[in-house]
Amino acid sequence: MIGYLGVVGIALALASAIALAVDGFRVFVRGGAGAGRLRIPVRGLLLGAVVAMGALELALLTDDFSLRYVAENHTRSTPLLFTIAAAWAALEGSIVLWGLVLAGYATWIRRSVTEGDRIGAAALAVVGIVGVFFFGLMLTAANPFTTLSPVPLDGSGANPLLQNHILMAIHPPMLYLGFVGMTVPFAFAIAALVAGDGSTAWLERTRRWTLVAWTFLTLGVLLGGWWSYEVLGWGGYWAWDPVENASFLPWLTATAFVHSAVVQRRRGMLQAWNVALVIGTFALTILGTFLTRSGVVASVHSFTQSAVGPALLGFLLVVLVAGFGLFAFRGHLVASTPRLDSLASREGVFLLNNLLLALFAFVVLIGTLYPMVLEAFTGDRVSVGAPWFDRAAIPITLVLLFAVGLGPITPYRRARAIVVWERLRGPLQATAVASAVVAVLGVRSITVLTAFAFAALIVSVIVRQAHATARSRPEPYGRAVAGLYRSDPGYWGGMVSHVGVALVAVAIAFSGSFDSRDTITLEPGESADFDGYTLTYVAPFLSEQGHRTVIGATVELSRGGSDLGRLRPALTQYPNQVQAIPTPSVHTGLREDVYLSLVRIEEGSARVTIDAYRFPLMWLLWLGGVVVVGGGALSFVGRRARRRTEVVAETAGV
Amino acid sequence: MSERVRNVAAVGVIVASLAVVVAVLASSPPSDADRVHDLATRLKCPICDNESIASSPADLARELLVLIEERVAAGSTDDEIVDFFIATYGEDVLLDPPRGGRTALLWVLPMVAAGVGIALVISRRRSGTVPILDDDDRARVRAALHDREAG
């Protein structure tokens, strides 16, 4: 029964998406007349998507094992949270979630489309076309409501890795809010191309959506890293796995777009480049979905094999051919005439940032796809792993950090050396002294020192700019500092994100260079030393938690006689899986994390083997990530109190 | 403090700090590179997807880690150990693909992309000179903005 309801929802959404595409285009051709009518198909789209998602959740919550999806991803013993999250634990359900998010964004766009708005109507038509593909996929290759006969008494449950931690319930929706959100600037960019509208209107309109999507995408990538660290137990947060890269690629181009959009709004430049970036970002979100959901990459995320792969690949080709074809034929209509006055300018730094991010994305893209393409065409197997990615990523990131530092103090149009020096003088001193202190304290790696120095430069430049801006304002200094954010939320939100980037850079450099690891085997009651810490194996433990069995070791952690508490690394056995899932246990300190992952407990003797890791400054990584996300949120929630105040600030600093 | 004093002081602080950094880096003994860990991160665990011997929890990865330790202790060079792994498990055991052969493109393409990017930047630059505001103009802009602020 529930299955029929779900199929009806999908069919309604599909019909609405078709109507939206056709009607939106018709309204566009008529110059925007009748745009208000588009309300109806958008409502249908949302209603259909809500019914489909609701039916899927209902089926999961009522243990309706007549549906194949429920039988494969749910058991009677699955806890409530993971039952709800099971709706996006596998391919079909995650496409439903995708469709729901798309319908949500369509509803939000529709509210801004008024009578006579032909660009808005065309954008809704593009959203409609994207909707036709995804809801069409749900009715055919990825139907979550196909039935099973005979009906099993119980299901087999989702991949255990996906029901081992609360983050798995949150990470995919966040990522999808980001991925699907990129449809909005894409739809408006295509609309501007089709209309041949060379104004910055589409950019102004989509600014908030782009920032919302970017913020969620950042949060999704961050949560993915955190999940990897907390759940996978291999002692890291990033492995350049193709599936991680799939989420990182659109993040890179979206980040480039967020920056180059500023140049277009402020100086009317890079218009065509922005359109290309947006098309590329959208294509990368589809590529990411293809990589994660088609099973083309044999990795922990790619737990599915189905006809969806070819469909997604086909859609990717359509997006690339139609998007860049349109761009090739009509790009000149939206291209901007102003050219760069000088490379030594704010625009020049933005351009450097964009080219580096684009190069970064290109490198990650070929490193990710090369082994697959080579194997597909020649059958040869090669591996491209962390050492290869690191070699390109480290220098690109270092130059990017330097650009982030320089950006805010570089004037638009043309930077005179004397002005730059005057603004940079203070921050450079702070940076140099901080670097010297860190070197004396024991940091000997040139890469780490450089990353630290550039991070210090980023932060001190922002402090200097805040100080100089506040001082140039007529109101008292304290009030001026407090009022900075309200004077230009977009700019200062961005600066907050930059501080977060600096923190993340320091954390990555330190944790990657000064970590240590050891494998320790202990009998109950025995102790071992690990890098200045003492690990004492107290006792093994075993607990049956309904749908799973957890075995683990209680380990006492101490350092120099002071007790730091107990860690409980464990192995979790799920009934549907042979391999047990390690659940690491982490002690987080101000200096460093101590991270224990259980390898095995021998039956009988209860002797344990534990992988012990020490990672410096991990808390700074998560804090920095939260600050980046917070800055993104600040940049779109606040409305500008007064216009053009930053012009005053900049000129006053000259 | 005059501008001149500030400038000299700033240069002094920066140069002195950099001297400290250089002195510290130069005086520290070359760190004993952890060859075993280094090799283990460059070699793929043969039964895993994209996981190095260093990071994989698989039993085989652990045995191979011990094997690397033994070879390093016995005095084998890095190349000898890597060659042994290629001979045993095939070339895809290398997480850092070789610079020639069928993975040459992986090394060439990023360089080409970087070159195209640099060429693009140079071509985007406007030829001719840029009018620069002189100090009088700047003063007028400042005054006008100040009036706007106040009024």
Side-chain angles (χ1 to χ4, degrees), chain A residues 383-429:
Chain A
S383 306
V384 182
W388 186 86
F389 285 102
D390 283 346
R391 194 177 296 106
I394 291 170
I396 291 176
T397 309
L398 288 179
V399 184
L400 265 173
L401 287 175
F402 186 59
V404 174
L406 276 191
I409 48 101
T410 319
Y412 278 101
R413 301 215 60 195
R414 190 163 201 277
R416 291 192 304 169
I418 182 73
V419 173
V420 174
W421 164 248
E422 199 189 306
R423 293 178 182 179
L424 212 51
R425 193 169 53 193
L428 273 182
Q429 291 177 70

CSV table of all heavy atoms in Angstrom, one decimal, chain A residues 383-429:
chain,number,residue,atom,x,y,z
A,383,SER,N,47.3,2.6,-9.5
A,383,SER,CA,46.8,3.3,-8.3
A,383,SER,C,47.3,4.7,-8.3
A,383,SER,O,48.5,5.0,-8.6
A,383,SER,CB,47.3,2.6,-7.1
A,383,SER,OG,46.9,1.2,-7.1
A,384,VAL,N,46.4,5.6,-7.9
A,384,VAL,CA,46.8,7.0,-7.7
A,384,VAL,C,46.4,7.3,-6.2
A,384,VAL,O,45.2,7.3,-6.0
A,384,VAL,CB,46.2,8.0,-8.7
A,384,VAL,CG1,46.7,9.4,-8.4
A,384,VAL,CG2,46.5,7.6,-10.1
A,385,GLY,N,47.4,7.4,-5.4
A,385,GLY,CA,47.0,7.6,-4.0
A,385,GLY,C,47.5,8.8,-3.3
A,385,GLY,O,48.0,9.8,-4.0
A,386,ALA,N,47.5,8.8,-2.0
A,386,ALA,CA,47.8,10.0,-1.2
A,386,ALA,C,49.1,10.7,-1.6
A,386,ALA,O,49.2,11.9,-1.7
A,386,ALA,CB,47.7,9.7,0.3
A,387,PRO,N,50.2,9.9,-1.8
A,387,PRO,CA,51.5,10.6,-2.1
A,387,PRO,C,51.4,11.5,-3.4
A,387,PRO,O,51.9,12.6,-3.4
A,387,PRO,CB,52.5,9.4,-2.3
A,387,PRO,CG,51.9,8.3,-1.7
A,387,PRO,CD,50.4,8.5,-1.7
A,388,TRP,N,50.7,11.0,-4.4
A,388,TRP,CA,50.6,11.7,-5.6
A,388,TRP,C,49.8,13.0,-5.4
A,388,TRP,O,50.2,14.1,-5.8
A,388,TRP,CB,49.9,10.9,-6.7
A,388,TRP,CG,49.9,11.5,-8.0
A,388,TRP,CD1,50.8,11.5,-9.0
A,388,TRP,CD2,48.8,12.3,-8.6
A,388,TRP,NE1,50.5,12.2,-10.1
A,388,TRP,CE2,49.2,12.7,-9.9
A,388,TRP,CE3,47.6,12.7,-8.1
A,388,TRP,CZ2,48.4,13.5,-10.7
A,388,TRP,CZ3,46.8,13.5,-8.9
A,388,TRP,CH2,47.2,13.9,-10.2
A,389,PHE,N,48.6,12.8,-4.7
A,389,PHE,CA,47.8,14.0,-4.5
A,389,PHE,C,48.5,15.0,-3.6
A,389,PHE,O,48.4,16.2,-3.9
A,389,PHE,CB,46.4,13.6,-3.8
A,389,PHE,CG,45.5,12.9,-4.7
A,389,PHE,CD1,45.3,11.5,-4.8
A,389,PHE,CD2,44.7,13.7,-5.6
A,389,PHE,CE1,44.4,10.9,-5.6
A,389,PHE,CE2,43.8,13.1,-6.5
A,389,PHE,CZ,43.7,11.7,-6.5
A,390,ASP,N,49.1,14.6,-2.6
A,390,ASP,CA,49.8,15.5,-1.6
A,390,ASP,C,50.8,16.3,-2.4
A,390,ASP,O,51.0,17.5,-2.1
A,390,ASP,CB,50.5,14.7,-0.5
A,390,ASP,CG,49.5,14.2,0.5
A,390,ASP,OD1,48.4,14.7,0.5
A,390,ASP,OD2,49.9,13.4,1.3
A,391,ARG,N,51.5,15.7,-3.3
A,391,ARG,CA,52.6,16.4,-4.0
A,391,ARG,C,52.1,17.7,-4.7
A,391,ARG,O,52.7,18.7,-4.7
A,391,ARG,CB,53.4,15.5,-4.9
A,391,ARG,CG,54.7,16.2,-5.4
A,391,ARG,CD,55.5,15.3,-6.3
A,391,ARG,NE,56.0,14.1,-5.6
A,391,ARG,CZ,55.5,12.9,-5.9
A,391,ARG,NH1,54.5,12.8,-6.7
A,391,ARG,NH2,55.9,11.8,-5.2
A,392,ALA,N,50.9,17.5,-5.3
A,392,ALA,CA,50.3,18.7,-6.0
A,392,ALA,C,49.5,19.6,-5.0
A,392,ALA,O,49.6,20.8,-5.0
A,392,ALA,CB,49.3,18.2,-7.0
A,393,ALA,N,48.9,19.0,-4.0
A,393,ALA,CA,48.0,19.7,-3.1
A,393,ALA,C,48.8,20.7,-2.2
A,393,ALA,O,48.3,21.8,-1.9
A,393,ALA,CB,47.1,18.8,-2.3
A,394,ILE,N,49.9,20.2,-1.7
A,394,ILE,CA,50.6,21.0,-0.7
A,394,ILE,C,51.1,22.3,-1.3
A,394,ILE,O,50.8,23.4,-0.8
A,394,ILE,CB,51.8,20.2,-0.1
A,394,ILE,CG1,51.1,19.1,0.8
A,394,ILE,CG2,52.7,21.1,0.8
A,394,ILE,CD1,52.1,18.1,1.4
A,395,PRO,N,51.9,22.3,-2.5
A,395,PRO,CA,52.3,23.6,-3.0
A,395,PRO,C,51.1,24.5,-3.4
A,395,PRO,O,51.1,25.7,-3.1
A,395,PRO,CB,53.2,23.3,-4.2
A,395,PRO,CG,52.9,21.9,-4.5
A,395,PRO,CD,52.5,21.2,-3.2
A,396,ILE,N,50.1,23.9,-4.0
A,396,ILE,CA,48.9,24.7,-4.4
A,396,ILE,C,48.3,25.4,-3.2
A,396,ILE,O,48.0,26.6,-3.2
A,396,ILE,CB,47.9,23.9,-5.2
A,396,ILE,CG1,48.5,23.5,-6.6
A,396,ILE,CG2,46.6,24.7,-5.4
A,396,ILE,CD1,47.6,22.5,-7.4
A,397,THR,N,48.1,24.6,-2.2
A,397,THR,CA,47.5,25.1,-1.0
A,397,THR,C,48.3,26.2,-0.3
A,397,THR,O,47.8,27.2,0.1
A,397,THR,CB,47.2,24.0,0.1
A,397,THR,OG1,46.6,22.9,-0.6
A,397,THR,CG2,46.4,24.5,1.2
A,398,LEU,N,49.6,26.0,-0.3
A,398,LEU,CA,50.5,27.1,0.3
A,398,LEU,C,50.3,28.4,-0.5
A,398,LEU,O,50.2,29.5,0.2
A,398,LEU,CB,51.9,26.6,0.3
A,398,LEU,CG,52.2,25.5,1.3
A,398,LEU,CD1,53.7,25.1,1.3
A,398,LEU,CD2,51.9,26.0,2.8
A,399,VAL,N,50.4,28.4,-1.8
A,399,VAL,CA,50.2,29.6,-2.6
A,399,VAL,C,48.8,30.2,-2.3
A,399,VAL,O,48.7,31.4,-2.2
A,399,VAL,CB,50.5,29.4,-4.1
A,399,VAL,CG1,50.4,30.7,-4.8
A,399,VAL,CG2,51.8,28.7,-4.3
A,400,LEU,N,47.8,29.3,-2.3
A,400,LEU,CA,46.5,29.8,-2.0
A,400,LEU,C,46.4,30.5,-0.6
A,400,LEU,O,45.8,31.6,-0.5
A,400,LEU,CB,45.5,28.6,-2.0
A,400,LEU,CG,44.7,28.3,-3.3
A,400,LEU,CD1,44.0,27.0,-3.1
A,400,LEU,CD2,43.8,29.4,-3.6
A,401,LEU,N,47.0,29.9,0.4
A,401,LEU,CA,47.0,30.6,1.7
A,401,LEU,C,47.7,31.9,1.6
A,401,LEU,O,47.2,32.9,2.2
A,401,LEU,CB,47.8,29.7,2.7
A,401,LEU,CG,47.1,28.4,3.2
A,401,LEU,CD1,48.1,27.6,4.0
A,401,LEU,CD2,45.8,28.7,3.9
A,402,PHE,N,48.7,32.0,0.9
A,402,PHE,CA,49.4,33.3,0.7
A,402,PHE,C,48.5,34.3,0.1
A,402,PHE,O,48.4,35.5,0.5
A,402,PHE,CB,50.7,33.1,-0.1
A,402,PHE,CG,51.5,34.4,-0.2
A,402,PHE,CD1,52.0,35.0,0.9
A,402,PHE,CD2,51.8,35.0,-1.4
A,402,PHE,CE1,52.8,36.1,0.9
A,402,PHE,CE2,52.6,36.1,-1.5
A,402,PHE,CZ,53.1,36.7,-0.4
A,403,ALA,N,47.7,33.9,-1.0
A,403,ALA,CA,46.8,34.8,-1.6
A,403,ALA,C,45.6,35.2,-0.7
A,403,ALA,O,45.2,36.3,-0.7
A,403,ALA,CB,46.2,34.1,-2.9
A,404,VAL,N,45.2,34.2,0.1
A,404,VAL,CA,44.2,34.6,1.1
A,404,VAL,C,44.7,35.7,2.1
A,404,VAL,O,43.9,36.6,2.4
A,404,VAL,CB,43.7,33.3,1.9
A,404,VAL,CG1,42.8,33.7,3.1
A,404,VAL,CG2,43.1,32.3,1.0
A,405,GLY,N,45.9,35.6,2.4
A,405,GLY,CA,46.5,36.6,3.3
A,405,GLY,C,46.6,37.9,2.6
A,405,GLY,O,46.3,39.0,3.2
A,406,LEU,N,47.1,38.0,1.4
A,406,LEU,CA,47.3,39.2,0.6
A,406,LEU,C,46.0,39.9,0.2
A,406,LEU,O,45.9,41.1,0.2
A,406,LEU,CB,48.1,39.0,-0.6
A,406,LEU,CG,49.6,38.9,-0.5
A,406,LEU,CD1,50.2,38.9,-1.9
A,406,LEU,CD2,50.1,40.1,0.3
A,407,GLY,N,45.0,39.1,-0.2
A,407,GLY,CA,43.8,39.6,-0.8
A,407,GLY,C,43.2,40.8,-0.1
A,407,GLY,O,43.1,41.9,-0.7
A,408,PRO,N,42.9,40.7,1.2
A,408,PRO,CA,42.1,41.8,1.8
A,408,PRO,C,42.9,43.2,1.9
A,408,PRO,O,42.3,44.2,2.0
A,408,PRO,CB,41.9,41.3,3.3
A,408,PRO,CG,42.0,39.9,3.2
A,408,PRO,CD,43.0,39.6,2.1
A,409,ILE,N,44.2,43.2,1.8
A,409,ILE,CA,44.9,44.4,1.9
A,409,ILE,C,45.3,45.0,0.5
A,409,ILE,O,45.8,46.0,0.4
A,409,ILE,CB,46.2,44.4,2.7
A,409,ILE,CG1,47.1,43.2,2.4
A,409,ILE,CG2,45.9,44.4,4.2
A,409,ILE,CD1,48.2,43.5,1.5
A,410,THR,N,44.9,44.2,-0.6
A,410,THR,CA,45.3,44.7,-1.9
A,410,THR,C,44.2,45.5,-2.4
A,410,THR,O,43.0,45.1,-2.5
A,410,THR,CB,45.5,43.5,-2.8
A,410,THR,OG1,46.2,42.5,-2.1
A,410,THR,CG2,46.2,43.9,-4.1
A,411,PRO,N,44.4,46.8,-2.9
A,411,PRO,CA,43.4,47.6,-3.4
A,411,PRO,C,42.9,47.1,-4.8
A,411,PRO,O,43.6,46.4,-5.5
A,411,PRO,CB,44.1,49.0,-3.6
A,411,PRO,CG,45.4,48.9,-3.0
A,411,PRO,CD,45.8,47.4,-2.9
A,412,TYR,N,41.7,47.5,-5.1
A,412,TYR,CA,41.2,47.2,-6.5
A,412,TYR,C,41.9,48.0,-7.5
A,412,TYR,O,42.6,49.0,-7.2
A,412,TYR,CB,39.7,47.5,-6.5
A,412,TYR,CG,38.8,46.4,-6.0
A,412,TYR,CD1,38.2,46.5,-4.7
A,412,TYR,CD2,38.5,45.3,-6.7
A,412,TYR,CE1,37.5,45.5,-4.2
A,412,TYR,CE2,37.7,44.2,-6.2
A,412,TYR,CZ,37.2,44.4,-4.9
A,412,TYR,OH,36.4,43.4,-4.4
A,413,ARG,N,41.8,47.6,-8.7
A,413,ARG,CA,42.3,48.2,-9.9
A,413,ARG,C,43.9,48.1,-10.0
A,413,ARG,O,44.4,47.5,-10.9
A,413,ARG,CB,41.9,49.7,-10.0
A,413,ARG,CG,40.4,49.9,-10.1
A,413,ARG,CD,40.0,51.0,-10.9
A,413,ARG,NE,40.5,50.9,-12.3
A,413,ARG,CZ,40.5,51.9,-13.2
A,413,ARG,NH1,40.1,53.1,-12.8
A,413,ARG,NH2,40.9,51.7,-14.4
A,414,ARG,N,44.6,48.8,-9.1
A,414,ARG,CA,46.0,48.8,-9.2
A,414,ARG,C,46.6,49.0,-7.8
A,414,ARG,O,46.2,50.0,-7.2
A,414,ARG,CB,46.5,49.8,-10.2
A,414,ARG,CG,48.0,49.7,-10.5
A,414,ARG,CD,48.3,50.4,-11.8
A,414,ARG,NE,49.5,49.9,-12.4
A,414,ARG,CZ,50.7,50.3,-12.0
A,414,ARG,NH1,50.8,51.2,-11.0
A,414,ARG,NH2,51.8,49.8,-12.6
A,415,ALA,N,47.5,48.2,-7.4
A,415,ALA,CA,48.0,48.3,-6.0
A,415,ALA,C,49.4,49.0,-6.1
A,415,ALA,O,50.3,48.5,-6.8
A,415,ALA,CB,48.2,47.0,-5.4
A,416,ARG,N,49.5,50.1,-5.5
A,416,ARG,CA,50.9,50.7,-5.4
A,416,ARG,C,51.7,50.1,-4.3
A,416,ARG,O,51.1,49.8,-3.3
A,416,ARG,CB,50.7,52.2,-5.2
A,416,ARG,CG,50.1,53.0,-6.4
A,416,ARG,CD,50.3,54.5,-6.2
A,416,ARG,NE,49.7,54.9,-4.9
A,416,ARG,CZ,49.9,56.1,-4.4
A,416,ARG,NH1,50.6,57.0,-5.0
A,416,ARG,NH2,49.3,56.5,-3.3
A,417,ALA,N,52.9,49.8,-4.6
A,417,ALA,CA,53.8,49.1,-3.7
A,417,ALA,C,53.8,49.7,-2.3
A,417,ALA,O,53.7,49.0,-1.3
A,417,ALA,CB,55.2,49.0,-4.2
A,418,ILE,N,53.8,51.1,-2.3
A,418,ILE,CA,53.9,51.8,-1.0
A,418,ILE,C,52.7,51.5,-0.2
A,418,ILE,O,52.7,51.3,1.0
A,418,ILE,CB,54.2,53.3,-1.3
A,418,ILE,CG1,54.3,54.0,0.1
A,418,ILE,CG2,53.1,53.9,-2.1
A,418,ILE,CD1,55.6,53.7,0.7
A,419,VAL,N,51.5,51.5,-0.8
A,419,VAL,CA,50.2,51.3,-0.1
A,419,VAL,C,50.2,49.8,0.5
A,419,VAL,O,49.9,49.6,1.7
A,419,VAL,CB,49.0,51.5,-1.0
A,419,VAL,CG1,47.7,51.1,-0.3
A,419,VAL,CG2,49.0,52.9,-1.5
A,420,VAL,N,50.6,48.9,-0.3
A,420,VAL,CA,50.6,47.5,0.1
A,420,VAL,C,51.6,47.3,1.3
A,420,VAL,O,51.3,46.7,2.3
A,420,VAL,CB,51.0,46.5,-1.1
A,420,VAL,CG1,51.2,45.1,-0.5
A,420,VAL,CG2,49.9,46.6,-2.1
A,421,TRP,N,52.8,47.9,1.1
A,421,TRP,CA,53.8,47.8,2.2
A,421,TRP,C,53.3,48.4,3.5
A,421,TRP,O,53.4,47.8,4.6
A,421,TRP,CB,55.1,48.5,1.8
A,421,TRP,CG,56.0,48.8,2.9
A,421,TRP,CD1,56.4,50.0,3.4
A,421,TRP,CD2,56.7,47.8,3.8
A,421,TRP,NE1,57.2,49.8,4.5
A,421,TRP,CE2,57.4,48.5,4.7
A,421,TRP,CE3,56.7,46.4,3.7
A,421,TRP,CZ2,58.2,47.9,5.7
A,421,TRP,CZ3,57.5,45.8,4.7
A,421,TRP,CH2,58.3,46.5,5.7
A,422,GLU,N,52.6,49.6,3.4
A,422,GLU,CA,52.1,50.3,4.6
A,422,GLU,C,51.1,49.4,5.3
A,422,GLU,O,51.1,49.3,6.5
A,422,GLU,CB,51.5,51.6,4.2
A,422,GLU,CG,51.3,52.6,5.3
A,422,GLU,CD,50.5,53.8,4.8
A,422,GLU,OE1,50.9,54.3,3.7
A,422,GLU,OE2,49.5,54.1,5.4
A,423,ARG,N,50.2,48.7,4.5
A,423,ARG,CA,49.2,47.9,5.2
A,423,ARG,C,49.8,46.5,5.6
A,423,ARG,O,49.2,45.9,6.6
A,423,ARG,CB,48.1,47.6,4.1
A,423,ARG,CG,47.3,48.8,3.8
A,423,ARG,CD,46.3,48.4,2.7
A,423,ARG,NE,45.5,49.6,2.3
A,423,ARG,CZ,44.6,49.6,1.4
A,423,ARG,NH1,44.3,48.4,0.8
A,423,ARG,NH2,43.9,50.7,1.1
A,424,LEU,N,50.8,46.1,5.0
A,424,LEU,CA,51.4,44.8,5.3
A,424,LEU,C,52.4,44.8,6.4
A,424,LEU,O,52.7,43.8,7.0
A,424,LEU,CB,52.0,44.2,4.0
A,424,LEU,CG,51.9,42.7,3.7
A,424,LEU,CD1,50.5,42.2,3.9
A,424,LEU,CD2,52.4,42.4,2.3
A,425,ARG,N,52.9,46.0,6.7
A,425,ARG,CA,54.0,46.2,7.6
A,425,ARG,C,53.7,45.5,8.9
A,425,ARG,O,54.5,44.7,9.4
A,425,ARG,CB,54.3,47.7,7.8
A,425,ARG,CG,55.6,48.0,8.4
A,425,ARG,CD,55.8,49.5,8.3
A,425,ARG,NE,54.6,50.3,8.7
A,425,ARG,CZ,54.4,51.6,8.5
A,425,ARG,NH1,55.3,52.3,7.8
A,425,ARG,NH2,53.3,52.2,8.9
A,426,GLY,N,52.6,45.9,9.5
A,426,GLY,CA,52.3,45.3,10.8
A,426,GLY,C,52.1,43.8,10.8
A,426,GLY,O,52.7,43.0,11.5
A,427,PRO,N,51.2,43.3,9.9
A,427,PRO,CA,50.9,41.9,9.8
A,427,PRO,C,52.2,41.1,9.5
A,427,PRO,O,52.4,40.0,10.1
A,427,PRO,CB,50.0,41.7,8.7
A,427,PRO,CG,49.2,43.0,8.6
A,427,PRO,CD,50.2,44.1,9.1
A,428,LEU,N,53.1,41.6,8.7
A,428,LEU,CA,54.3,40.9,8.4
A,428,LEU,C,55.2,40.7,9.6
A,428,LEU,O,55.8,39.7,9.8
A,428,LEU,CB,55.1,41.6,7.3
A,428,LEU,CG,54.8,41.2,5.8
A,428,LEU,CD1,55.7,41.9,4.9
A,428,LEU,CD2,54.9,39.7,5.6
A,429,GLN,N,55.3,41.8,10.4
A,429,GLN,CA,56.1,41.7,11.7
A,429,GLN,C,55.5,40.6,12.6
A,429,GLN,O,56.2,39.8,13.1
A,429,GLN,CB,56.1,43.0,12.4
A,429,GLN,CG,56.9,44.1,11.7
A,429,GLN,CD,56.8,45.4,12.4
A,429,GLN,OE1,57.4,45.6,13.4
A,429,GLN,NE2,56.1,46.3,11.8
